[in-house]
């Protein structure tokens, strides 16, 4: 996509899950458009982005002490955050609700929901003081529609959707916008692993996954990153509490 650079120039952005495909694409695009980007993820995962505007930080989004310390380091090193992108998340377990273990439930909700809440909790005070900010939370199309295969994951993404709307209502008067991104099927390492492990075979798996979409293909990580860029920029200054669905039309049919 050929678009003028500098759409978030001079801003400081925090991206969690930034060593994954979607978070990495988002961190890279924000950096290319002039933001100073704090790339956050758990320790031990190789950096996904090499760019002079990107600084790596380790964080465990499920632990408040880790989140608090990491955000303090970000503020000291890069300044007050203007943008928070909560992209960190995990998927699973497969199967109906009655087959899941309590430990699996706890892990999913700790990463996918508690992590979003903790990052917001510790980023918002500085944004309130500055009188502005943009928070973008990664949900899913299945945070809107539900689905059979991974119900606990879908439940976490539904929780993120409603937390987004509630925070949009709460923080609007402070100049903070809060919106959610809802990806459909994306061409990521996770998706490719699922296809390779599918008993029906990779080709049939993809055909079932996206064959009925109005745009019959998977999305690319940059498709998500460009939606985030819009919400992070001042172009979306009157947009809050919105659901940005990027799914090739899956939820339209």
């Amino acid at each position: 996509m050929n678009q003028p650079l500098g759409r978030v120039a001079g801003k400081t952005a925090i991206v969690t899950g930034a060593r994954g495909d979607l978070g990495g694409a988002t961190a890279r695009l924000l950096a290319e458009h002039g933001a100073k980007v704090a790339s956050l993820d758990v320790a031990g995962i190789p950096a996904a982005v090499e760019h002079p505007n990107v600084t790596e930080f380790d964080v465990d989004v499920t632990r408040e002490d880790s989140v608090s310390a990491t955000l303090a380091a970000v503020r000291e090193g890069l300044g007050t955050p203007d943008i928070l992108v909560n992209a960190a998340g995990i998927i699973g377990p497969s199967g109906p609700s009655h087959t899941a273990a309590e430990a699996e439930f706890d892990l999913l909700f700790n990463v996918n929901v508690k992590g979003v809440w903790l990052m917001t909790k510790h980023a918002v005070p500085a944004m309130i003081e500055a009188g502005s900010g943009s928070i973008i939370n990664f949900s899913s199309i299945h945070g809107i529609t539900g689905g059979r295969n991974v119900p606990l994951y879908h439940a976490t993404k539904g929780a993120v959707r409603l937390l987004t709307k509630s925070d949009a209502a709460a923080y609007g008067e402070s100049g903070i916008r809060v919106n959610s991104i809802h990806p459909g099927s994306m061409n990521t390492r996770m998706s490719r692993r699922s296809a390779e492990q599918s008993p029906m075979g990779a080709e049939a798996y993809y055909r079932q996954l996206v064959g009925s979409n109005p745009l019959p293909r998977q999305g690319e990580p940059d498709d998500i990153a460009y939606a985030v860029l819009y919400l992070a920029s001042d172009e979306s200054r009157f947009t809050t509490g919105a659901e940005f669905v990027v799914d090739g039309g899956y939820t339209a049919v």
Side-chain angles (χ1 to χ4, degrees):
M1 297 182 185
N2 294 319
Q3 296 208 19
L5 297 180
R7 293 168 67 189
V8 286
K11 297 182 183 291
T12 296
I14 297 171
V15 183
T16 70
R19 295 169 198 162
D21 292 314
L22 301 185
T26 296
R28 180 182 300 107
L29 190 63
L30 292 174
E32 289 173 352
H33 278 265
K36 294 180 291 183
V37 179
S39 169
L40 274 59
D41 217 318
V42 292
I45 300 177
V49 181
E50 292 186 7
H51 191 283
N53 285 359
V54 175
T55 305
E56 295 286 334
F57 296 86
D58 293 334
V59 72
D60 180 347
V61 297
T62 70
R63 288 177 38 223
E64 186 159 18
D65 59 344
S66 177
V67 169
S68 176
T70 301
L71 264 62
V74 170
R75 288 193 297 270
E76 182 177 349
L78 302 180
T80 298
D82 303 288
I83 301 158
L84 170 62
V85 183
N86 284 308
I90 57 173
I91 194 168
S94 296
S97 292
H98 75 279
T99 65
E102 183 178 8
E104 293 172 316
F105 178 97
D106 289 344
L107 179 61
L108 272 172
F109 274 82
N110 278 339
V111 175
N112 292 1
V113 184
K114 183 181 178 183
V116 172
W117 167 66
L118 282 176
M119 289 297 302
T120 300
K121 175 181 178 179
H122 287 276
V124 155
M127 291 181 173
I128 291 174
E129 187 175 342
S132 64
S134 177
I135 299 173
I136 302 108
N137 296 327
F138 276 41
S139 179
S140 164
I141 53 172
H142 293 299
I144 299 171
T145 66
R148 293 188 182 93
N149 295 330
V150 279
L152 298 187
Y153 170 78
H154 299 160
T156 66
K157 293 306 183 178
V160 169
R161 172 177 174 255
L162 265 295
L163 181 62
T164 298
K165 291 183 179 299
S166 299
D167 284 349
Y171 298 128
E173 65 183 9
S174 298
I176 300 169
R177 299 180 294 105
V178 192
N179 296 286
S180 55
I181 293 283
H182 298 258
S185 179
M186 292 287 142
N187 180 19
T188 62
R189 285 169 287 182
M190 184 189 306
S191 173
R192 290 192 292 273
R193 280 196 302 271
S194 297
E196 291 163 5
Q197 296 167 3
S198 172
M200 69 177 67
E203 185 177 346
Y205 174 87
Y206 282 122
R207 197 162 51 241
Q208 182 186 71
L209 198 65
V210 301
S212 62
N213 286 5
L215 299 177
R217 61 173 177 83
Q218 285 190 304
E220 297 296 330
D222 273 355
D223 294 324
I224 300 300
Y226 271 100
V228 174
L229 177 62
Y230 168 70
L231 292 172
S233 76
D234 293 339
E235 298 160 16
S236 59
R237 60 188 177 271
F238 197 55
T239 302
T240 195
E243 302 166 2
F244 271 63
V245 178
V246 186
D247 69 348
Y250 176 91
T251 54
V253 296

